[in-house]
Amino acid sequence: MTGSEHVLLTPYGLRCDHRAEPLGLDAGTPLLSWRLRSGRRGDAPAAYRVRVRTEDGVLVWDTGEVADPEAASARYAGPLLRPRTRYRWQVSVTAADGAVGAAESWFETGMLGPSAWTASWIAHDPAALDVMNAPEEGELALADHGLQPAVRLRRPFEAPAAPVRARLYVTARGLYEMRVNGARVGDAELAPGWTDYRDRIDYQTYDVTDLLRAGGNVLAATLADGWWSGFVGFDPRRSGAHYGTFPQLLAELHLEYADGTTGILATGGDWETARSPIRYADLLMGECHDLRLETPGWDLPAERARPEATRDRETEPEEPRPAESQPAESRPEGTPAGRASGDGWLPAYVAGTDRALLTASVAQPVRAVQELAPRTVTRFEDGRHLVDFGQNFAGRVRVTARGLAPGDRVVVRHGETLDDRGRLYTDNLRTAAATDVLVAGADDETIFEPRFTYHGFRYAEVTGLTALGTGDITGVVLHSDTPWAGEFACSDPELDRLHQSIAWGQRSNFVSVPTDCPQRDERLGWLADAQVFLPTACLNADVAAFFDGWLRDVRGARSADGGFSNVAPRLAGVADEGAPGWGDAGVLVPWHLYRVYGDERVLVRNFDAMCGWVDFVHRHNPDLVWNRRVGPHFADWLAPTPTPRDVVATAYFARSADLTARAAEVLGHPDAAERYGTLAGHIRKTFTERFVTPDGRIEGDTQTGYLLALAFGLLPAELVPGAADRLAELVEAAGPGLTTGFLGVGLIAPVLDAHGRADLAHALLTRAEPPSWLHPLRNGATTIWERWDGYTAGRGFQAAAMNSFNHYSLGSIGEWLYQGVAGLAQAPASTGYRELLIRPRPGGLTWARASYESVRGTVSTAWTREGGGFRLEVSVPPGASAVVHIPAADPGGVRESGIPAAEAAGVRIVGTEPGALRCRVTSGEFRFTADVH
Ligand code: BGC
């Protein structure tokens, strides 16, 4: 607004397939996108031009000048991309007045297909894993879980020179951490992430050029069970080893030297393996480091390993082979390892060469994104320390332990809350032990941080240390590193805390896949949870790549006859057949992503599955009331007032059919659009005939029933006002209060608002008795609870069997904080934030503001109400326009930057309504003022 007028139209925030500078891309035709900013009101793009070059400047693809004022992306359509190649690309955007702005970025291809790989899957010989000592009585509390040690693998090699470029392509069946010459490679955590490993295994690419040198080098790895062979989910009959029984590594190091020669070092039988000092590492159970078993220098070239590092080695590693001569596999697949090379190092076991499922990861990895200092550390009489991080989160702790003798143990237990006596409460973790153990070695001071596990917790209880200061322990926050995109704040600190706890719920549960909860023995990709929370998630962060990745598993989890599942990645032991609202996520999620990010490819990829799902439901429910093949029918899960199941199901059936029709239209499939559009119409008609009385009462007469009908547009126009009134009555009669569960909760504020009752939406936000959002906050919540009454003063905790304090579903109100309270929304028919709807709903607040980094650029709103005046500041990115509703007692008196709105540049009055003026504005920054007496 001030000082930025000189900024011309400029592209920024360049993305390739929704990621900044992706390394190792397997897509042949990536989407290159950009955002725009400008300091000039009304600035708009007229044309763009994208040029892609090789690193040495050879032009590969040039769109030429494309006159398209709406474009914010271009799909690569040049010659076949070469594997393992970096491309630089530039976008220049010409403004309507001829000014040109440009920006540059790069992407680098990966292996571009499974056939390029030569590496084998290698592992520690599973028959040799009994090297773990039998635990002494009480030594390892988790011995009965049958956990196995994490293993180390390494391959010393000789490089003729320092490479000018080195890339490591790597994945695991299990979890890996790679090291080169003792240094950790990259910052990805829990890599390669969770996919249905039977369908697809993601690999990652790292630039390791700077870690290598001329002469002796060591490429090394630690492997742990993770989702592959560790515990996942809650089914006691099928609690672990869902995909395999021991972890395996597959990696290729590609080297390029200044003289043009190249080398490849691939995993194979010439690697060696040993068990690691990590006696077990499991996502649910926790991790145990036994530092008495540590062999420092194991990952260093022999001449750099410290003397003590090799003290218990009988022999040094074999003479390394030059990296140029890639060794043939030394043993046929699956044969057992041969003779040990000394000190417990065995030749690697070659577990196979199947590379058909390898594909580059498409989303940001999990990273340690933030550290939390403890708020308090309390010491109990029995020597335990209780650490309060002040925030429920997903991650782990890093502890500095001092004064321990070899063999002393430090035990860290994790919990979300405390019991009535102020002790760690862990009953709600069910079978997840969530316990990390350090067994001290000879060192005086040890820094302990688990590597292959994570927990959902706010409190950590530490046993085994005589002293623990606040500086000795840190909370390490882990989550998929989706770029944060939204900000919200307002004059009510409790609503700010609500927003923050919603955001922390998102952080805690976007860990490789969208999970229901991060703490108990579950942490599954439940489809409905993801679907209901998605609109909020998309405003908080850029989750385009994250969900694109997960949707591959949603498609993969379908039944042979087209049914979506309840969880993805699918998991044995969890009821497969998608319930209403759960299976429908396979339709709702792609549609919403398309609307937010404007990338049609998400519809292209999912369209067949969407059709398949609607056909599946239709086939089994030809009378159009969905009451057969409903899976476990969770209905409006955890609703205080249940809504009839057939009402919920049939509403979702109509919704899925309708969105599939709209997707068909977008993709240019008129026949399908017609077919699903007609079907949707018939389902709506059936819904009304079966469930709605002539005076507009919906069967069950519940809030969720009306919400689904109104939000999904199921009712004939003449019944809408009555239904909206009845909804308002029900909300009023409840307190005002809500009686919705997972499926209704995200709709309640937007629907009330859409029907003129934003006042009731505000009333729900300020209610403090359960069910409400403030009840948990006033009872110490820092994340959204799974249940409205997870804890109540009189009764205490809800049933421990299902009582998470970090579930995001009920946090789907977050969308309305942005869209309603702050008034920052995309217009209903818009995609990719081309048209905005700025319509703040102040309620009893005095100010609110929000900003959102959209695919087109930054959108922001900020309003204040002071005395009788209302001020609204709006920022609209170039290429977008907005309809702005300005609250005003006298719509004719609204001013923009001090002059009557009707005369302001870039502002066109489009109408008035009681108490508000409606304008359409161009891009740029606007400052409206009005009287609201
Ligand atoms: C999960 C939910 C999920 C539900 C299915 C629960 O155990 O935690 O979030 O959607 O099961 O009803």
Side-chain angles (χ1 to χ4, degrees):
M1 208 161 297
T2 49
S4 57
E5 286 78 5
H6 62 283
V7 179
L8 299 180
L9 189 68
T10 315
Y12 75 100
L14 275 54
R15 297 281 189 273
C16 173
D17 275 349
H18 303 287
R19 281 183 298 159
E21 301 178 343
L23 185 60
L25 198 77
D26 267 357
T29 56
L31 187 79
L32 305 173
S33 60
W34 55 90
R35 298 165 192 172
L36 292 174
R37 65 171 149 237
S38 165
R40 303 187 304 179
R41 184 178 289 184
D43 219 353
Y48 72 86
R49 179 173 189 178
V50 170
R51 275 168 282 199
V52 178
R53 295 190 163 81
T54 59
E55 261 192 306
D56 36 20
V58 178
L59 186 67
V60 176
W61 185 56
D62 183 353
T63 59
E65 193 82 352
V66 181
D68 183 351
E70 300 198 1
S73 64
R75 181 144 170 216
Y76 177 79
L80 223 54
L81 295 171
R82 296 207 314 266
R84 293 177 293 97
T85 304
R86 181 166 297 201
Y87 294 90
R88 302 194 170 280
W89 65 282
Q90 186 203 48
V91 57
S92 56
V93 177
T94 308
D97 67 358
V100 179
E104 281 196 8
S105 185
W106 58 262
F107 63 88
E108 187 175 308
T109 53
M111 300 297 262
L112 288 184
S115 60
W117 292 84
T118 58
S120 306
W121 292 100
I122 60 169
H124 193 70
D125 187 344
L129 258 187
D130 55 2
V131 289
M132 181 173 167
N133 298 329
E136 289 161 23
E137 184 58 19
E139 188 188 8
L140 294 174
L142 302 173
D144 55 338
H145 287 297
L147 301 171
Q148 55 193 354
V151 296
R152 286 173 167 171
L153 304 94
R154 69 180 179 191
R155 169 72 158 89
F157 67 98
E158 211 46 43
V164 290
R165 183 185 142 108
R167 296 288 186 272
L168 180 62
Y169 304 92
V170 55
T171 188
R173 291 166 167 163
L175 303 178
Y176 71 81
E177 184 188 282
M178 297 300 297
R179 304 180 82 78
V180 170
N181 296 331
R184 182 171 167 194
V185 172
D187 58 2
E189 300 285 347
L190 308 175
W194 187 14
T195 57
D196 188 332
Y197 303 114
R198 293 163 296 203
D199 293 344
R200 177 170 57 85
I201 304 178
D202 281 357
Y203 73 88
Q204 288 77 42
T205 303
Y206 301 97
D207 181 351
V208 292
T209 315
D210 292 343
L211 300 178
L212 293 159
R213 58 188 195 134
N217 293 276
V218 173
L219 179 57
T222 306
L223 273 184
D225 288 320
W227 294 281
W228 167 264
S229 44
F231 286 92
V232 182
F234 50 71
D235 187 346
R237 294 159 305 171
R238 195 62 216 280
S239 51
H242 282 270
Y243 304 95
T245 52
F246 60 95
Q248 301 153 35
L249 177 77
L250 184 138
E252 283 186 23
L253 175 63
H254 286 243
L255 301 159
E256 292 175 25
Y257 299 101
D259 64 3
T261 57
T262 59
I264 301 176
L265 192 95
T267 45
D270 55 344
W271 284 54
E272 47 183 13
T273 75
R275 61 174 260 196
S276 81
I278 300 179
R279 295 181 71 159
Y280 55 78
D282 184 83
L283 294 168
L284 297 183
M285 300 307 166
E287 192 163 316
C288 172
H289 289 205
D290 188 342
L291 295 186
R292 295 170 303 180
L293 306 175
E294 186 53 279
T295 52
W298 69 277
D299 50 0
L300 290 177
E303 69 279 13
R304 277 177 57 203
R306 287 181 287 140
E308 68 269 26
T310 52
R311 68 182 167 201
D312 27 16
R313 276 190 208 156
E314 286 157 24
T315 51
E316 284 302 301
E318 288 163 40
E319 190 53 29
R321 257 177 286 245
E324 291 84 89
S325 57
Q326 206 228 312
E329 268 158 35
S330 54
R331 287 182 287 129
E333 269 189 47
T335 55
R339 191 175 51 84
S341 66
D343 183 27
W345 287 92
L346 299 171
Y349 172 86
V350 178
T353 55
D354 182 1
R355 308 166 195 117
L357 303 180
L358 298 179
T359 165
S361 55
V362 298
Q364 298 87 357
V366 174
R367 291 195 175 100
V369 286
Q370 189 178 343
E371 299 201 340
L372 299 176
R375 185 189 277 179
T376 57
V377 178
T378 313
R379 190 183 152 86
F380 290 112
E381 276 169 16
D382 60 7
R384 276 179 292 169
H385 288 91
L386 183 69
V387 183
D388 177 5
F389 289 100
Q391 175 62 55
N392 202 0
F393 67 101
R396 58 204 182 204
V397 298
R398 184 166 61 236
V399 194
T400 306
R402 293 187 197 85
L404 298 175
D408 283 357
R409 281 189 302 140
V410 177
V411 177
V412 187
R413 295 169 64 230
H414 303 77
E416 295 183 285
T417 185
L418 304 178
D419 65 18
D420 289 345
R421 291 160 52 231
R423 302 278 165 142
L424 194 73
Y425 178 78
T426 57
D427 294 359
N428 67 333
L429 306 188
R430 302 195 304 219
T431 67
T435 301
D436 298 329
V437 180
L438 167 73
V439 183
D443 285 344
D444 219 38
E445 180 174 308
T446 301
I447 296 177
F448 171 48
E449 181 180 343
R451 307 272 227 306
F452 301 107
T453 189
Y454 78 97
H455 314 293
F457 67 107
R458 165 176 170 171
Y459 299 92
E461 183 206 75
V462 184
T463 319
L465 287 175
T466 47
L468 183 71
T470 49
D472 299 328
I473 187 161
T474 302
V476 180
V477 178
L478 298 184
H479 60 79
S480 284
D481 197 5
T482 55
W484 217 245
E487 277 172 32
F488 168 86
C490 70
S491 55
D492 181 348
E494 285 199 301
L495 286 192
D496 284 356
R497 279 175 53 213
L498 173 63
H499 168 69
Q500 290 305 333
S501 65
I502 292 167
W504 276 102
Q506 177 165 341
R507 292 189 185 101
S508 314
N509 282 301
F510 282 16
V511 179
S512 188
V513 304
T515 63
D516 56 339
C517 57
Q519 74 297 85
R520 68 182 179 217
D521 57 359
E522 186 144 7
R523 312 184 191 185
L524 302 178
W526 284 99
L527 267 70
D529 304 41
Q531 174 262 113
V532 302
F533 188 65
L534 182 69
T536 299
C538 288
L539 285 159
N540 282 332
D542 175 356
V543 294
F546 176 79
F547 274 98
D548 213 19
W550 181 63
L551 281 171
R552 297 177 301 178
D553 283 317
V554 171
R555 296 192 294 275
R558 278 174 302 155
S559 61
D561 52 355
F564 283 119
S565 60
N566 288 302
V567 298
R570 71 173 170 250
L571 202 72
V574 180
D576 272 344
E577 192 160 287
W582 271 250
D584 296 287
V587 176
L588 275 69
V589 171
W591 177 256
H592 190 77
L593 293 174
Y594 163 66
R595 281 209 55 223
V596 172
Y597 300 108
D599 181 357
E600 272 180 33
R601 296 173 312 161
V602 71
L603 296 181
V604 173
R605 292 187 190 112
N606 291 286
F607 185 66
D608 287 348
M610 293 160 79
C611 298
W613 168 247
V614 175
D615 294 346
F616 167 84
V617 177
H618 189 192
R619 200 163 48 244
H620 294 290
N621 298 278
D623 62 354
L624 307 186
V625 171
W626 184 8
N627 53 16
R628 285 174 295 273
R629 304 300 296 265
V630 287
H633 214 327
F634 303 114
D636 189 19
W637 187 242
L638 297 179
T641 303
T643 296
R645 289 168 190 274
D646 293 359
V647 171
V648 172
T650 306
Y652 265 98
F653 183 21
R655 178 67 167 166
S656 283
D658 179 45
L659 295 184
T660 302
R662 292 201 224 176
E665 215 166 286
V666 171
L667 298 178
H669 304 313
D671 294 350
E674 162 80 27
R675 183 152 48 92
Y676 292 108
T678 305
L679 174 63
H682 289 152
I683 305 168
R684 285 194 291 265
K685 194 158 166 285
T686 305
F687 182 91
T688 306
E689 286 166 4
R690 288 290 293 272
F691 304 124
V692 188
T693 61
D695 63 346
R697 287 289 166 98
I698 297 177
E699 192 168 310
D701 201 26
T702 65
Q703 292 180 7
T704 292
Y706 293 99
L707 289 169
L708 294 172
L710 292 166
F712 297 170
L714 306 184
L715 303 176
E718 66 278 10
L719 293 183
V720 168
D725 288 348
R726 181 63 190 153
L727 169 68
E729 273 169 32
L730 290 172
V731 171
E732 271 162 351
L738 42 75
T739 60
T740 53
F742 278 26
L743 298 183
V745 65
L747 306 175
I748 196 159
V751 170
L752 286 168
D753 184 353
H755 294 279
R757 296 307 307 268
D759 62 317
L760 282 179
H762 274 286
L764 296 179
L765 279 176
T766 47
R767 178 189 163 96
E769 306 77 46
S772 72
W773 290 284
L774 291 194
H775 164 73
L777 290 176
R778 293 200 182 164
N779 282 273
T782 57
T783 41
I784 299 295
W785 293 352
E786 175 176 27
R787 315 178 79 125
W788 293 117
D789 57 353
Y791 178 88
T792 49
R795 205 211 41 228
F797 292 119
Q798 252 285 5
M802 212 190 83
N803 195 23
S804 148
F805 294 105
N806 200 352
H807 242 69
Y808 49 56
S809 300
L810 299 181
S812 47
I813 180 69
E815 179 191 26
W816 197 72
L817 296 180
Y818 286 94
Q819 299 191 344
V821 176
L824 188 163
Q826 177 173 210
S830 162
T831 55
Y833 277 78
R834 188 162 162 68
E835 285 185 34
L836 312 177
L837 176 62
I838 309 296
R839 190 172 51 186
R841 301 301 196 196
L845 302 169
T846 54
W847 63 267
R849 59 167 187 267
S851 78
Y852 172 65
E853 192 58 25
S854 81
V855 285
R856 221 163 266 280
T858 312
V859 185
S860 71
T861 63
W863 62 259
T864 46
R865 188 164 49 177
E866 231 180 289
F870 192 88
R871 197 169 75 218
L872 172 62
E873 295 175 12
V874 180
S875 178
V876 178
S881 65
V883 169
V884 185
H885 292 236
I886 305 121
D890 166 22
V894 173
R895 301 174 88 80
E896 193 285 314
S897 296
I899 59 172
E903 293 165 26
V907 178
R908 185 163 57 82
I909 311 287
V910 289
T912 56
E913 54 197 70
L917 176 73
R918 246 178 312 130
C919 310
R920 175 172 285 281
V921 302
T922 62
S923 72
E925 297 184 339
F926 300 85
R927 184 182 292 171
F928 294 98
T929 45
D931 265 347
V932 281
H933 271 118

